[in-house]
Amino acid sequence: MPSRFASIKGVLLDLSGTLHIGNAVTPRAVEALKLLRKTGIKVRFVTNSTKTSDERLHAKLSKLGFELSPSEIFTSLSAAKRLVQQHNYRPLLILEDEALEQFTDINQDEPYNAVVIGLAPSKLDYRNMNRAFTALLGGADLVGIHRAKYYASAEGQLSLGPGGFIAALEFAADKKAVLVGKPARAFYELALADMGLLESPESVAMVGDDVLADLGGGALELGLLRALVKTGKYREGDESKAEVPLAGVYNTFADFVDAVVP
């Protein structure tokens, strides 16, 4: 076992691009997850997926063959809802319809006191951006579920993420967004606390395909062992973008598991 992973007690796993791309599982990912669990290493799933509700996401992963409990999945969507509830926001939600299902119990009446934006390809148009801009000028807070620059489509092509839209609103309204998903430190801490490893983050690996959104920010601040996989949105040379050298770079999640499991 490589020395960097000799004392590993937990693994935080990205989903889209790492375990699956659209409806296709990355090579040997289902079997690798089973092997990792057999070691007794704790596993949690941390995702910035905001196009669908947590319930639909779990159903999709189960259909793909992954064995996991809904309680093991930490989504930026659920973190955003928690923030909305804590601040008693009446949000303008710019989300896909399947993601909106998670907010049916939230008061969304005008006047809005928050704008919440996630990855919503069918909703991020001029009309909705201008609605958001108007709400922000009226004093609403700006909440970015995450600000990824891009994501990998089912065909493996890169598509524009929500980061540029959030940046546009920040610029136009002269307001800084609150970010709730990866790589925010508090988001990782939720999963670490659930594993009982909040006090020893250096014993936890974070595996993802985005060197910035998965392995930067809070992952770096907490001292997680950061492993980059060359699937999903990965492009040649991405590892050089890391502020601090990564603990490892692997072709796939399964290759990471092969390196960790004796």
Side-chain angles (χ1 to χ4, degrees):
M1 181 184 292
S3 59
R4 297 299 298 273
F5 297 103
S7 59
I8 195 171
K9 296 179 182 178
V11 174
L12 300 179
L13 289 175
D14 173 51
L15 289 174
S16 180
T18 300
L19 295 188
H20 71 95
I21 302 171
N23 291 319
V25 175
T26 56
R28 298 190 293 121
V30 172
E31 296 78 12
L33 179 58
K34 292 178 180 178
L35 180 60
L36 184 62
R37 287 189 186 278
K38 286 181 180 179
T39 66
I41 293 173
K42 297 179 179 180
V43 178
R44 295 295 184 273
F45 306 88
V46 288
T47 176
N48 275 344
S49 175
T50 62
K51 292 171 68 176
T52 188
S53 66
D54 291 4
E55 183 178 352
R56 287 178 180 267
L57 176 61
H58 177 259
K60 175 179 179 176
L61 294 169
S62 298
K63 187 175 181 179
L64 290 175
F66 293 106
E67 297 178 0
L68 71 171
S69 164
S71 64
E72 294 178 313
I73 304 174
F74 289 79
T75 72
S76 54
L77 196 64
S78 59
K81 182 175 181 179
R82 186 180 299 110
L83 182 72
V84 165
Q85 292 171 322
Q86 289 173 343
H87 290 267
N88 292 317
Y89 283 144
R90 298 181 310 279
L92 167 60
L93 300 169
I94 302 181
L95 301 170
E96 292 292 348
D97 291 340
E98 289 189 356
L100 288 172
E101 294 173 4
Q102 198 150 325
F103 291 83
T104 55
D105 58 338
I106 297 296
N107 181 359
Q108 300 170 43
D109 294 336
E110 298 186 52
Y112 304 117
N113 57 5
V115 173
V116 177
I117 297 183
L119 178 58
S122 72
K123 301 295 181 70
L124 287 168
D125 54 23
Y126 183 84
R127 174 180 174 274
N128 281 325
M129 287 290 286
N130 203 46
R131 290 175 66 207
F133 174 64
T134 300
L136 295 173
L137 290 183
D141 292 337
L142 178 58
V143 178
I145 298 185
H146 66 91
R147 66 183 311 151
K149 295 179 180 179
Y150 45 78
Y151 69 100
S153 67
E155 296 76 27
Q157 296 180 331
L158 296 185
S159 297
L160 189 63
F165 296 93
I166 293 170
L169 288 172
E170 287 180 319
F171 174 75
D174 195 22
K175 184 163 293 192
K176 188 71 174 175
V178 174
L179 299 175
V180 296
K182 294 179 298 182
R185 177 171 179 153
F187 185 63
Y188 297 107
E189 289 176 334
L190 289 172
L192 290 172
D194 191 64
M195 290 193 290
L197 297 173
L198 184 57
E199 301 303 319
S200 54
E202 70 283 351
S203 69
V204 177
M206 173 64 217
V207 185
D209 65 324
D210 189 324
V211 71
L212 300 177
D214 292 330
L215 309 178
L220 181 59
E221 294 169 12
L222 287 163
L224 301 177
L225 294 171
R226 298 166 300 131
L228 179 67
V229 293
K230 296 183 177 183
T231 51
K233 66 174 68 172
Y234 173 84
R235 291 298 182 268
E236 193 65 35
D238 277 356
E239 52 268 47
S240 66
K241 299 176 183 178
E243 296 180 37
V244 175
L246 302 167
V249 180
Y250 302 91
N251 287 329
T252 66
F253 162 64
D255 290 330
F256 163 77
V257 174
D258 288 342
V260 169
V261 178

